[in-house]
Amino acid sequence: MALAAGAIVGTWFWDVPRDQLTVDEALARAFGLDPAMAHRKLQLHEVLGAIHPDDQPGLAAAIEQAVQHGGRFSHQYRARGEDGNYHWLESIGRVDLDEHGQAQSFPGVLIDISERLRVQAERDQAQALLRSFVEAAPGVMYAKDRQGRLLIGNSGTTELIGRPPSEYVGRTDAELLGDPAQAAAVMATDERIMASGQGEQLEEQVSFPDGRRAWWLSTKAPLRDGDGKVVGLVGTSLDITDRKSAEAERLHIEERYRLAAQATNDAVWDWRMDDGHVVWNEALSSLFGHRVMETSAQWWLDHIHPDDRERIDHAIHAVIDGDGLAWSGEYRFRRADGSYAAVLDRGAVLRDVDGRPLRMIGAMLDLSGRKAAEAALAEGEERLRLAAEAGELGLWDLDLVHNVLLWPSRTKAMFGIASDAEVTIDDFHNGLHPDDRQATLAALEQAADPARRSNYDVEYRTVGKDDGVVRWVAAKGRGIFEAGRCVRMLGVAIDITARKAADARLRELNEQLEARVHAEVAERMRVEDALRQSRKMEAVGQLSGGIAHDFNNMLATVIGPLDLLALRIGDSDARAVRYIEMALDGAQRAAQLTQRLLAFSRQQPLQPVALDVNHLVAGMTDLLVHSLGSSIILETVLGGGQWWTHADASQMENVILNLAVNARDAMPGGGRLNLQTSNCHIDLANAAEHGGIPGGDYVRIAVADTGSGMPPDVMARAFDPFFTTKPVGQGTGLGLSQVYGFVQQSNGHIRLDSVPGQGTTVAIYLPRLLADVDAVPAAAADPAPLSGGGAERILVVDDDAAVRAFSVDALTELGYRVLSADGAATALPLLQSHPDIALLFTDVVMPGVNGRQLADQARARHPQLKVLFATGNSRNALVDDGVLDAQVQLIGKPFTIGELAARVRAVLTAAA
């Protein structure tokens, strides 16, 4: 029946004492033997030859053991079947022993266990795999029965419970966990899942035996039998403590990021590289007016100013496409209203493990306010710089925390340091003058002392680092204090070297103040004396001019009639002629005296011309030699390239002659007279050399003698009228006065230098004539001899009856037809009634209408009328500062008949 059922593949019976083995055909086939062998007695070794060589020793030992002890026998081995392959077989039998313990029979059956072993191997493999999986699974893996008793647990379970499996298998959580509340919560969850039949995933907080606490992510599901009935629970738990911490940290970071993005003034952006999506915070709207939260990267690029776009695009992609992690750039970003804001943008690149860019997160700072503030600050700094430059101030900034000193170039220059050189606090210490170092550093220390907080206000000397120059510096400053300590000092410095030098000079001047006061008082007295002298000369000049004018009018009625009387008498009465000559000589000398008075008072009429002084001096040489006499040697030195001047030539000759005569009188025993002409340019450099004469170009005429000289008191009065050191009767005292008046009237200057016993030098400075001069002026012609006139009609106008009568008689004597009038009221009708009047001979100074006004009215009616003026004074309408107009014809009072005849004839014959 067993063989029929297929469980037994053969049977045997072994007669042990006889070693006779009987097998059936099935066993023979199982051992790969000839089935015919089942019909005879076999020995054991004939069958065992089919056993696998590796299994034979074991099978022999098992048979030996069974034969010796008897009883049940079971052994598994491999035997080669009739197909040539080895199959797993199990021999099951029993050894019967006799009363002596000797084996008698050993019957048994052979079972093919190949399938069973295969199934068992698969089961064992599955169990091993399951055990490996359970042990390899992270965290805790376990199974429980319906009552919550643990059926199995892995090493994580063992670690969690803190006991070996032998101590926790079969026990509940309430028995194993030390925390009752935790155990109750776990069992309640397990019961809920087993009751519902639905798996769950949940987070649980557990405590380890060593006091550690952890979070577990548990997955629990009902355990079912073959019929689907819930018989327990299986579950796994993963320790997610680190993940929970990381997640909490991530949430914390995200919250901080969110709060920071909300709190910052920056427009924060998050750019995903894979799709170009950009997420913005709310600052994009508040700062720039764009009411969007998400854009593309291209949208951002399109809102960059066109002039900045390419530069920013290239820069940011250079970081992204390379291996850079950070980028920053400044550009202009377009607001929603179309205007542009200056921004500073920064971003950080997030990369994967292979370095590929994943995201870029950044922030855009609006610099518009800061740019405006920087512009205002720059403007303020520029103003401060300009103010410092204008005030010649040098700034200084000392950082006491980091021991850093900042100096601009002006401050460096005060210490003799190049403007581009770096400076430290040692440069300040080393640059102080040794004599001032201690006091200066002490003042700095007191200013930095929190208890004193003194003002830093010192003056000290520096020794130039590069040039070695000693300079004086005045410095002021204050400390900045934080938390009870001085952290910084700021101040200004100014180079006071010049001021110190000026102070030194001031002290020196103060020390000499008394001497300077005496000198200033003396100088003031000298100036006051000069002013008084000038006023005196002006007053005397006015008096002299008035006297001379009256004298001229009176002399005109003396000299003229004497001339007429001499003409009438002729040679008929020698004694009368002699008396007349004596009278004329006295009158002429009186006339010369009045001329000198007019010259001194600057009231003589001048007729200046372009004058070459070299030509004039050369023409006077013979006259000067004759006037000086044989005891005096004349030396003339004429300057080369001599400039021209503008002066009255005849008066200039008189001046030189006067100076020569004065020099002759100062050398009674003979001597040397030097007459020199030269060009003279006076400027600030040589003004003192020429006695303070105003700067400019001058023609200089100097007359120097080797005579007795003059003491200072005589020099002070040398130009006074009527002052003379000569004996009575040998001088009038008007020679130098006439020179002084002429030079002043010619806009020139005169300088007198004299040393007693060494001689005197008189230098005349006449302004240079800047106009072009064509030729040397012709020499004055000698007066024409007395002769009769023509038949012309002449109108004589003079308010003085005596002068008018003389003029009428003289002109009549000369053959002219003469009319007379005492003023304009009488003269104008005569001019109207006698159109043949050829010459108007009129006095200048008359009451009512003066001579010039009369001449203007007469010429308005008779344009061809010629005019000759007569005057004893130049202060009238014809003269501007003593210089006559070029067209004015004038004869001075008193005049002789010969002078009158020559002048009248010259006027009548002159071209109109």
Side-chain angles (χ1 to χ4, degrees):
M1 291 179 63
L3 288 172
I8 297 174
V9 295
T11 62
W12 81 86
F13 182 83
W14 182 26
D15 184 352
V16 178
R18 295 183 180 85
D19 190 20
Q20 293 181 352
L21 178 63
T22 302
V23 298
D24 58 12
E25 293 181 0
L27 189 146
R29 285 194 293 272
F31 278 83
L33 301 177
D34 185 0
M37 295 177 68
H39 300 290
R40 63 181 178 87
K41 299 296 184 181
L42 302 172
Q43 291 184 340
L44 183 59
H45 67 86
E46 292 180 296
V47 178
L48 294 182
I51 303 302
H52 193 283
D54 295 340
D55 298 337
Q56 288 182 8
L59 178 58
I63 292 173
E64 181 66 26
Q65 180 69 18
V67 171
Q68 289 181 1
H69 298 285
R72 188 176 182 274
F73 170 79
S74 177
H75 191 74
Q76 298 176 357
Y77 51 86
R78 291 167 288 180
R80 184 172 60 244
E82 59 182 350
D83 57 2
N85 296 321
Y86 285 98
H87 301 275
W88 277 98
L89 301 174
E90 182 179 13
S91 294
I92 301 174
R94 186 185 79 250
V95 178
D96 295 329
L97 301 177
D98 60 10
E99 63 276 9
H100 300 293
Q102 297 294 320
Q104 296 298 316
S105 62
F106 189 177
V109 296
L110 187 65
I111 300 175
D112 188 345
I113 61 172
S114 297
E115 183 63 24
R116 188 184 75 185
L117 289 177
R118 184 186 64 77
V119 173
Q120 184 178 353
E122 291 178 354
R123 182 199 65 194
D124 292 344
Q125 183 179 6
Q127 288 180 347
L129 182 61
L130 177 61
R131 283 194 299 271
S132 299
F133 176 75
V134 170
E135 289 298 326
V140 176
M141 182 173 286
Y142 52 86
K144 300 178 181 178
D145 63 11
R146 194 64 179 78
Q147 288 69 39
R149 291 186 292 267
L150 283 167
L151 300 176
I152 187 174
N154 65 348
S155 58
T157 306
T158 302
E159 181 183 2
L160 174 63
I161 297 175
R163 301 180 187 181
S166 59
E167 294 185 15
Y168 65 72
V169 172
R171 305 179 69 178
T172 65
D173 292 309
E175 297 172 309
L176 298 172
L177 298 178
D179 187 349
Q182 178 181 325
V186 171
M187 294 187 69
T189 300
D190 292 348
E191 180 60 31
R192 183 181 70 251
I193 292 172
M194 289 187 292
S196 66
Q198 301 294 325
E200 293 184 14
Q201 189 176 64
L202 64 156
E203 293 181 359
E204 298 175 305
Q205 192 173 22
V206 297
S207 300
F208 287 87
D210 58 3
R212 289 185 299 116
R213 297 182 65 83
W215 279 95
W216 294 86
L217 177 61
S218 298
T219 302
K220 297 183 178 182
L223 177 63
R224 300 177 185 273
D225 60 10
D227 297 330
K229 180 182 177 181
V230 176
V231 295
L233 179 134
V234 294
T236 60
S237 296
L238 295 175
D239 188 347
I240 59 171
T241 305
D242 294 340
R243 194 184 78 182
K244 290 285 286 185
S245 298
E247 183 177 355
E249 181 65 21
R250 179 182 61 81
L251 293 175
H252 180 62
I253 292 174
E254 289 180 352
E255 180 64 14
R256 284 191 301 177
Y257 171 76
R258 186 184 65 83
L259 293 176
Q262 290 180 347
T264 184
N265 290 328
D266 293 359
V268 181
W269 47 269
D270 187 348
W271 177 12
R272 289 200 306 258
M273 297 296 172
D274 56 350
D275 58 3
H277 189 71
V278 181
V279 178
W280 300 83
N281 69 340
E282 296 177 355
L284 182 67
S285 174
S286 61
L287 290 177
F288 307 112
H290 298 293
R291 303 190 179 281
V292 293
M293 298 296 290
E294 298 183 7
T295 68
S296 65
Q298 188 61 42
W299 178 91
W300 165 74
L301 195 61
D302 291 341
H303 280 73
I304 296 176
H305 193 282
D307 294 343
D308 302 335
R309 188 175 301 151
E310 182 177 356
R311 171 176 58 85
I312 295 300
D313 188 21
H314 180 271
I316 196 169
H317 278 93
V319 175
I320 295 172
D321 299 339
D323 56 357
L325 298 177
W327 164 83
S328 65
E330 289 190 21
Y331 57 88
R332 288 162 289 179
F333 184 75
R334 189 171 73 242
R335 299 186 181 95
D337 61 5
S339 62
Y340 283 91
V343 299
L344 170 64
D345 210 346
R346 297 91 67 207
V349 181
L350 305 180
R351 301 180 182 274
D352 60 14
V353 294
D354 297 327
R356 290 188 295 269
L358 301 176
R359 297 168 64 191
M360 192 171 185
I361 299 175
M364 185 191 300
L365 174 63
D366 189 350
L367 298 178
S368 300
R370 181 165 53 171
K371 290 289 187 181
E374 287 176 353
L377 178 61
E379 182 179 359
E381 289 179 347
E382 179 64 12
R383 289 178 178 174
L384 177 60
R385 186 189 67 80
L386 292 176
E389 289 289 335
E392 297 183 349
L393 296 176
L395 307 179
W396 55 271
D397 186 348
L398 177 58
D399 185 346
L400 295 176
V401 176
H402 303 95
N403 203 29
V404 174
L405 178 64
L406 298 178
W407 278 351
S409 57
R410 183 178 292 276
T411 310
K412 293 177 183 177
M414 298 178 191
F415 284 77
I417 299 175
S419 60
D420 56 350
E422 296 291 334
V423 294
T424 66
I425 190 65
D426 292 336
D427 291 311
F428 171 69
H429 291 166
N430 298 334
L432 295 173
H433 193 282
D435 295 342
D436 301 336
R437 182 176 295 123
Q438 182 177 356
T440 303
L441 295 181
L444 189 68
E445 184 177 347
Q446 292 172 8
D449 186 353
R452 305 183 68 173
R453 302 193 180 192
S454 304
N455 286 335
Y456 179 68
D457 188 354
V458 293
E459 292 183 359
Y460 53 82
R461 286 166 292 178
T462 66
V463 180
K465 179 179 180 181
D466 297 334
D467 55 19
V469 175
V470 176
R471 300 173 176 86
W472 273 98
V473 174
K476 295 179 182 289
R478 296 181 68 92
I480 298 176
F481 297 86
E482 293 180 3
R485 65 178 293 202
C486 185
V487 298
R488 191 176 180 189
M489 292 192 72
L490 296 170
V492 297
I494 186 170
D495 189 333
I496 59 171
T497 306
R499 193 190 78 187
K500 283 292 186 179
D503 290 345
R505 289 193 298 271
L506 181 60
R507 284 193 300 271
E508 181 181 353
L509 292 175
N510 287 337
E511 293 172 357
Q512 302 173 359
L513 180 59
E514 184 175 355
R516 290 181 59 85
V517 167
H518 287 306
E520 290 295 332
V521 170
E523 177 64 16
R524 181 174 180 179
M525 293 179 65
R526 187 191 67 78
V527 173
E528 289 178 351
D529 289 342
L531 179 60
R532 283 194 296 269
Q533 178 70 8
S534 175
R535 290 176 177 175
K536 181 184 71 174
M537 298 287 279
E538 184 68 23
V540 173
Q542 291 178 358
L543 175 61
S544 300
I547 294 173
H549 175 261
D550 293 339
F551 273 22
N552 281 334
N553 282 333
M554 288 186 287
L555 289 173
T557 60
V558 174
I559 294 174
L562 287 175
D563 265 349
L564 287 175
L565 182 59
L567 286 175
R568 291 290 177 91
I569 294 176
D571 298 332
S572 61
D573 190 342
R575 183 179 295 181
V577 171
R578 188 172 67 253
Y579 292 157
I580 292 173
E581 288 177 352
M582 292 172 59
L584 282 173
D585 182 62
Q588 290 293 347
R589 283 190 284 113
Q592 291 177 1
L593 179 61
T594 58
Q595 285 301 115
R596 291 187 177 185
L597 288 174
L598 285 174
F600 166 72
S601 63
R602 289 173 285 169
Q603 296 181 17
Q604 64 176 339
L606 299 180
Q607 290 183 316
V609 295
L611 181 61
D612 180 359
V613 294
N614 280 357
H615 181 75
L616 183 140
V617 170
M620 292 181 65
T621 302
D622 292 341
L623 175 62
L624 292 174
V625 170
H626 177 73
S627 300
L628 293 175
S630 61
S631 62
I632 296 176
I633 300 174
L634 174 65
E635 295 178 348
T636 57
V637 180
L638 304 180
Q642 190 63 44
W643 295 332
W644 289 57
T645 187
H646 190 248
D648 188 307
S650 62
Q651 293 297 329
M652 188 72 237
E653 288 180 348
N654 288 334
V655 165
I656 296 174
L657 184 59
N658 265 327
L659 293 177
V661 170
N662 276 354
R664 180 198 65 189
D665 294 342
M667 298 182 289
R672 189 180 300 274
L673 178 67
N674 181 277
L675 177 58
Q676 181 182 16
T677 64
S678 62
N679 296 331
C680 181
H681 174 75
I682 300 177
D683 54 20
L684 291 177
N686 61 1
E689 178 184 344
H690 296 277
I693 295 175
D697 290 339
Y698 296 93
V699 173
R700 182 175 181 268
I701 305 100
V703 179
D705 63 59
T706 59
S708 58
M710 290 183 284
D713 58 331
V714 174
M715 284 181 59
R717 302 182 60 189
F719 296 116
D720 289 0
F722 308 113
F723 174 78
T724 180
T725 59
K726 297 177 182 178
V728 177
Q730 295 186 14
T732 63
L734 288 175
L736 287 179
S737 299
Q738 180 185 6
V739 173
Y740 175 82
F742 166 75
V743 173
Q744 292 291 313
Q745 197 171 359
S746 300
N747 297 319
H749 304 276
I750 187 168
R751 182 182 178 189
L752 179 62
D753 292 315
S754 184
V755 178
Q758 297 184 16
T760 301
T761 300
V762 180
I764 297 172
Y765 297 81
L766 296 179
R768 175 186 179 184
L769 178 63
L770 298 178
D772 293 335
V773 179
D774 294 333
V776 177
D782 293 331
L786 182 62
S787 61
E792 293 91 343
R793 189 181 295 277
I794 298 176
L795 175 61
V796 177
V797 182
D798 200 311
D799 61 319
D800 189 315
V803 175
R804 183 173 69 250
F806 162 69
S807 298
V808 170
D809 289 346
L811 291 172
T812 302
E813 187 71 23
L814 293 173
Y816 294 104
R817 294 178 295 155
V818 183
L819 298 175
S820 65
D822 59 358
T826 308
L828 290 174
L830 290 175
L831 287 169
Q832 186 68 28
S833 60
H834 295 83
D836 60 336
I837 295 176
L839 175 67
L840 173 64
F841 179 39
T842 177
D843 188 17
V844 175
V845 179
M846 293 185 299
V849 178
N850 62 32
R852 181 60 179 266
Q853 294 169 340
L854 172 61
D856 291 341
Q857 294 181 31
R859 281 180 171 172
R861 301 174 185 182
H862 304 282
Q864 302 301 321
L865 180 66
K866 296 181 179 181
V867 180
L868 174 62
F869 294 98
T871 183
N873 187 329
S874 70
R875 192 171 298 280
N876 50 57
L878 295 178
V879 181
D880 180 12
D881 291 333
V883 179
L884 293 176
D885 294 342
Q887 303 301 322
V888 172
Q889 297 292 339
L890 181 70
I891 186 170
K893 297 178 183 179
F895 49 82
T896 65
I897 294 179
E899 292 172 343
L900 177 63
R903 180 65 67 180
V904 169
R905 194 72 251 162
V907 173
L908 289 173
T909 57

